[in-house]
Structures are given as structure tokens and as C-alpha cells.
Amino acid sequence: MSDMNGKICLVLGGAKGIGLAIAARLVGDGAIVFITSRNKDDVDMAVSNIGKNVHGVVLDPSRIDDLESVVSDIQKKHRKIDALILNAGVSEPLALDDFSLQHFDHHFTTNVRNHVFALKASLPAMERGGAVVLIGSIAGQAGVPNYSAYAATKASLRSFARSWAAELAPQGIRVNVVSPGPTETSMFASVPEEVKASIISTIPLGRMAHPREVASAAKFLLSNDASFITGTELCVDGGAKQV
């Protein structure tokens, strides 16, 4: 029996891509999972695809009262949250010469601010033994032309995770980061084949990741197998930034 059996999990941004793969993996391992998205159609489709032990929540993660309401509802039904996955994000290319306040604020609100306050809202429902996984990116370790805002937000999340790991350790709550490399999600669906080929050429394993592989890494860090791991970054990048 999986040690995730019966655990209560909240996946912010769990209706598509990596978030959906994580939610499906956790349900497959016996967890009860709540997934969120701004888009009702995406939520309904995700719940239909997973099929059981999953609850969809439509919310605006920039609204703190919405986050607090979701956490309160979970507490009323299940008393606590065992695992929190912070996945929602945006990545839009733009050269520095074309930067705008809207571009900057959109990235830092979606990729950083919302995660900070989602964790803050969830803490009253988390107990000793709880675990948090943030979905970062290897872009946070590199200089990425035209993606500087996105890369900076992921570096920021990595920094927050270190501080939160230290701050929450006395409460018995672990905080870790999974940082994927290029992954076969809708984000890459419109990328020209020659660009994909160029990206893949930088990956020692010779391909992009599958969302389920990122989900496996997240599940590991949430599980008892990772009970003495906190503050770390697990890169799922085929060696792209490691060798």
C-alpha cells in the first residue's frame, strides 16, 4: 500500500500539464486530491480524466480570500492538508527592450506572489509530517534570452523554498522544489520543430521530459521516502543543467 493512501493533497494549478500529471499520480497512489484552476472547463475535464478521489475547484489564486475559503472547505471535510503542490505558472517570451510593467507584474504575480500566499493560506491546515512541493524550472539556474522574467520568478521560488524549509522545519513541515527541464506540455505544442530540435540537442538524454516523469519526482518528495529531505531542488531535466 502506498504511503500516500488516504492523504489529502491540494494542487494549485492542477488541471493541465504537469499539475494534472501530479494530481493523477497522487490519486493513483491512493490520495484524495483537490485541484484548482481559473478555467472551469479545464477543471471539469481534469476531474473527468482522473475519474475518482479528485475534487475540482475554480478559483482566482490572486484572491487571498478565495485561497482561504478553499483551505477552510478542505479542513471541514478532511481536517487537514497533508501535501501542497504549487504549480500554477505562466511563461511568455519578451525581450528586455519590450518589457512593460504588465509583463513583469503578470509573471511575478502568477509565478511568485500567488504561491507565497497559497502557502500562507494553507499553513493553518498543515500538521507535522506535511510536505510542500513547488514546481520550479531549470530556467532559474540559467540565462535564458527573452525569458528573463520567467527565469527570475523560478529563481525566486527556489530562494523562497530554502527560507521556508528553514522556517517550517520546527513545525515538521518539509519544503522542496522540483525543477523540470523542457517538458512535453501544451506550452511546447506551438513551438516549431526546428526550435524543439535545438532544445533537445542540449539535453544529454536526447529528449524532453514527459509530465508523468515530473509527477514521479514530486510524488517522491511528498512521500515518506523523502522524510529527511527538505530545502532541496530535484532537477528533472535529462541532465541538461547537470552535466
Side-chain angles (χ1 to χ4, degrees):
M1 181 180 293
S2 167
D3 62 12
M4 297 304 295
N5 193 59
K7 294 290 183 68
I8 309 303
C9 307
L10 174 59
V11 184
L12 194 74
K16 296 175 67 176
I18 288 171
L20 176 58
I22 292 171
R25 175 60 189 269
L26 294 173
V27 168
D29 284 347
I32 298 169
V33 179
F34 291 78
I35 61 173
T36 78
S37 173
R38 296 173 185 267
N39 189 296
K40 185 178 186 303
D41 290 341
D42 289 344
V43 168
D44 291 344
M45 181 65 72
V47 169
S48 176
N49 287 341
I50 295 175
K52 63 175 183 178
N53 291 336
V54 60
H55 306 275
V57 181
V58 180
L59 65 76
D60 179 351
S62 67
R63 292 180 56 87
I64 295 173
D65 53 344
D66 282 4
L67 292 166
E68 292 174 343
S69 177
V70 169
V71 171
S72 177
D73 287 345
I74 294 173
Q75 281 183 292
K76 289 174 183 176
K77 295 173 182 175
H78 300 284
R79 190 175 65 80
K80 62 176 180 174
I81 294 172
D82 296 296
L84 175 66
I85 300 89
L86 300 174
N87 171 68
V90 63
S91 173
E92 298 172 354
L94 198 66
L96 179 58
D97 283 347
D98 298 319
F99 251 46
S100 65
L101 286 173
Q102 291 79 7
H103 177 78
F104 182 91
D105 290 345
H106 181 44
H107 277 75
F108 273 86
T109 294
T110 304
N111 295 0
V112 182
R113 175 189 180 276
N114 290 353
H115 293 329
V116 171
F117 288 96
L119 176 55
K120 182 177 185 291
S122 300
L123 280 179
M126 299 191 75
E127 300 177 354
R128 182 168 293 275
V132 181
V133 165
L134 295 87
I135 304 303
S137 170
I138 62 169
Q141 304 175 18
V144 186
N146 300 323
Y147 283 89
S148 58
Y150 172 74
T153 62
K154 295 302 185 177
S156 179
L157 283 182
R158 178 69 185 100
S159 179
F160 269 119
R162 285 190 172 99
S163 298
W164 291 338
E167 187 173 343
L168 298 179
Q171 300 177 41
I173 297 172
R174 298 182 298 106
V175 182
N176 291 292
V177 179
V178 170
S179 288
T183 305
E184 292 280 7
T185 64
S186 58
M187 185 182 297
F188 277 93
S190 60
V191 173
E193 288 304 316
E194 61 271 20
V195 176
K196 286 185 181 180
S198 177
I199 292 170
I200 290 172
S201 71
T202 68
I203 302 172
L205 289 184
R207 62 174 177 84
M208 293 199 290
H210 298 294
R212 65 177 180 275
E213 294 173 310
V214 183
S216 292
K219 187 266 178 178
F220 164 69
L221 289 174
L222 295 169
S223 74
N224 292 338
D225 287 339
S227 58
F228 203 58
I229 300 175
T230 195
T232 197
E233 179 179 25
L234 178 54
C235 295
V236 186
D237 66 349
K241 294 300 177 186
Q242 317 308 315
V243 300

